[in-house]
Amino acid sequence: MALIVQKFGGTSVGSIERIEQVAEKVKKHREAGDDLVIVLSAMSGETNRLIDLAKQVTDQLVPRELDVIVSTGEQVTIALLTMALIKRGVPAVSYTGNQVRILTDSAHNKARILQIDDQKIRADLKEGRVVVVAGFQGVDEHGNITTLGRGGSDTTGVALAAALKADECQIYTDVDGVYTTDPRVVPQARRLEKITFEEMLEMASLGSKVLQIRSVEFAGKYNVPLRVLHSFKEGPGTLITIDEEESMEQPIISGIAFNRDEAKLTIRGVPDTPGVAFKILGPISASNIEVDMIVQNVAHDNTTDFTFTVHRNEYEKAYAVLENTAREIGAREVSGDTKIAKVSIVGVGMRSHAGVASRMFEALAKESINIQMISTSEIKVSVVIEEKYLELAVRALHTAFELDAPARQSE
Ligand code: ADP
Ligand code: ASP
Ligand code: MG
């Protein structure tokens, strides 16, 4: 008999009908003999709706109160599923994060899980109950409700699996696994049988929101066997694994990630003296703005140009800080662009293969897509391009790295 943690996402519990379907599925698993802990998201759209309500009251959202509001979405689905199970004769009980005691730090809206009390859950499992836990939420040491950041139910699932030393954490969603790229954008995308934690972490960090980044970090750290599956279609899904050997035999590139969340800022004609980067980025970081990619041009005329990207939400703030810096250090001008996108190729196979980046650049050149910025690490290459070319770029790269699914026979 195994202990499995199963997390169902927003669309999978998006209506009463879907919740009944999940209950049927859980019932079947339970009858097969496994101990089950179920983690749920709010109904799809509900968290956004709750945030909008708060925004109608004030544009100065109070993080603590926002957590009190948004945590209600998951409280509804856990009780509905639990009743649907009991109706089917499956003993079950629901718990909020506070009731389990999923202890987090006090960083409202983006809290980190510190500790999980497993006593109650273990006692219920022993009594033969299915335990249904609200995802996305916890409680800090002072008893304040906290939430874990958007998509945080994945992290609740993985953290519970780690705390309970579960045999597997299964993430049920509206796709049947992790694909070579977002299947909504590239219909030729292929499901991966396996992907390493390291690759999945890069994919998630670079924009593939199929799993929350922290859930992958957690799974890697505590070595939780993690699988992404379709909620209502049978299939093996995708296993996220530490086993790099077998993945090495797969293509050099495992996947392509992209995001439209960034914006680019440039400061031109900066007097080129030691400490330029610090003078420019110091005030940005002092304003709590995170910088992603950075390019400094070779100086000529004793001045240099400096470009970096930030999250699009922080563009206006960063622009104001940079204009201020430009005045102070005597730079010529500040400009910016919010219509950019970042496309990244990811794969552990890159470590043992040369020429991967140039193959990427060649594929983009063939489509006449201009590369504005580049950054690389051991297992990824990212480029910034004009946003309007994003889908074309992802498709071109998908084909260039031979990731396309074999064409279907016409019927
Ligand atoms: P849930 O509500 O179940 O948590 P999400 O919307 O958070 O579901 O995640 C599933 C979505 O992630 C899919 O519908 C898909 O469009 C998107 N996605 C992005 N990149 C990928 C990828 N590489 N593989 C699979 N799905 C991806
Ligand atoms: N309901 C939360 C959100 O929409 C958490 C989750 O679904 O994982 O972000
Ligand atoms: Mg999600």
Side-chain angles (χ1 to χ4, degrees):
M1 203 172 63
L3 169 56
I4 314 278
V5 175
Q6 301 184 327
K7 177 256 168 178
F8 290 87
T11 38
S12 314
V13 293
S15 64
I16 294 297
E17 197 190 352
R18 292 265 167 90
I19 289 175
E20 299 276 12
Q21 265 177 287
V22 170
E24 276 302 313
K25 190 172 176 115
V26 171
K27 179 176 184 229
K28 261 193 213 141
H29 280 151
R30 180 72 194 122
E31 283 169 357
D34 289 336
D35 278 343
L36 297 177
V37 175
I38 310 295
V39 174
L40 297 186
S41 289
M43 290 181 167
S44 57
E46 178 64 4
T47 308
N48 287 342
R49 191 186 71 86
L50 293 167
I51 295 171
D52 283 349
L53 285 180
K55 283 185 179 161
Q56 285 175 41
V57 172
T58 174
D59 52 12
Q60 304 282 311
L61 293 178
V62 182
R64 180 190 182 280
E65 304 311 321
L66 189 64
D67 277 347
V68 175
I69 297 170
V70 294
S71 61
T72 60
E74 274 72 10
Q75 195 167 331
V76 171
T77 49
I78 55 168
L80 290 172
L81 179 71
T82 302
M83 288 193 275
L85 287 169
I86 292 170
K87 179 175 83 177
R88 287 170 170 77
V90 180
V93 60
S94 73
Y95 292 123
T96 63
N98 187 14
Q99 287 173 319
V100 173
R101 202 140 194 273
I102 298 180
L103 182 71
T104 72
D105 62 19
S106 302
H108 285 288
N109 314 157
K110 50 174 190 281
R112 281 183 181 273
I113 295 177
L114 301 175
Q115 207 186 354
I116 293 183
D117 186 345
D118 64 355
Q119 280 182 16
K120 236 187 239 176
I121 297 181
R122 285 201 189 280
D124 284 306
L125 292 174
K126 216 168 159 194
E127 295 292 316
R129 282 187 277 270
V130 170
V131 181
V132 185
V133 179
F136 180 52
Q137 55 177 263
V139 63
D140 76 359
E141 58 175 336
H142 309 293
N144 298 302
I145 295 174
T146 55
T147 62
L148 311 178
R150 297 308 303 270
S153 300
D154 295 337
T155 302
T156 307
V158 175
L160 273 170
L164 294 164
K165 299 189 179 56
D167 295 283
E168 191 164 281
C169 179
Q170 302 174 342
I171 306 286
Y172 287 94
T173 182
D174 58 1
V175 269
D176 63 347
V178 177
Y179 275 63
T180 47
T181 192
D182 190 339
R184 283 192 217 181
V185 172
V186 180
Q188 298 91 326
R190 260 189 309 114
R191 182 178 57 82
L192 298 163
E193 285 290 323
K194 280 185 176 188
I195 183 169
T196 66
F197 284 119
E198 209 183 352
E199 288 170 322
M200 192 63 237
L201 195 58
E202 284 284 5
M203 290 279 281
S205 310
L206 295 167
S208 298
K209 292 180 182 139
V210 59
L211 286 174
Q212 199 202 29
I213 302 170
R214 279 189 190 165
S215 72
V216 188
E217 275 171 5
F218 230 103
K221 189 166 166 197
Y222 294 98
N223 206 0
V224 177
L226 183 62
R227 197 182 283 278
V228 176
L229 302 130
H230 198 288
S231 295
F232 305 117
K233 288 183 202 155
E234 290 301 315
T238 299
L239 184 68
I240 293 113
T241 160
I242 45 169
D243 183 3
E244 199 167 301
E245 292 308 312
E246 287 185 42
S247 301
M248 296 288 272
E249 288 164 21
Q250 290 173 354
I252 308 163
I253 299 305
S254 294
I256 299 170
F258 53 86
N259 80 45
R260 297 178 172 89
D261 299 340
E262 291 185 26
K264 187 177 80 165
L265 293 128
T266 299
I267 178 166
R268 288 201 176 78
V270 183
D272 192 29
T273 52
V276 165
F278 176 64
K279 277 185 202 147
I280 297 169
L281 296 182
I284 296 282
S285 101
S287 310
N288 271 326
I289 300 171
E290 259 182 61
V291 169
D292 181 24
M293 288 164 92
I294 303 171
V295 171
Q296 183 181 351
N297 289 354
V298 178
H300 57 94
D301 309 336
N302 294 323
T303 70
T304 184
D305 300 346
F306 195 95
T307 302
F308 57 94
T309 63
V310 298
H311 198 282
R312 236 181 241 189
N313 292 343
E314 307 206 286
Y315 173 73
E316 309 288 341
K317 193 167 146 196
Y319 201 100
V321 173
L322 198 57
E323 276 190 315
N324 203 23
T325 305
R327 265 194 302 277
E328 275 174 19
I329 63 176
R332 198 171 62 242
E333 61 169 343
V334 170
S335 62
D337 188 354
T338 54
K339 297 208 162 39
I340 58 158
K342 184 166 79 174
V343 183
S344 311
I345 54 173
V346 175
V348 288
M350 248 185 244
R351 289 200 183 110
S352 49
H353 286 82
V356 177
S358 61
R359 197 159 145 197
M360 178 184 199
F361 305 152
E362 185 188 7
L364 296 173
K366 269 192 193 151
E367 300 293 341
S368 305
I369 298 171
N370 191 36
I371 299 172
Q372 302 178 3
M373 299 174 88
I374 301 170
S375 83
T376 64
S377 79
E378 229 190 342
I379 66 161
K380 72 119 202 275
V381 183
S382 300
V383 297
V384 166
I385 59 170
E386 225 181 305
E387 186 181 6
K388 68 177 180 196
Y389 296 124
L390 175 61
E391 294 189 5
L392 177 63
V394 176
R395 275 172 215 201
L397 293 171
H398 203 265
T399 306
F401 285 100
E402 293 163 14
L403 297 174
D404 292 352
R408 288 215 187 108
Q409 302 274 310
S410 52
E411 279 148 41

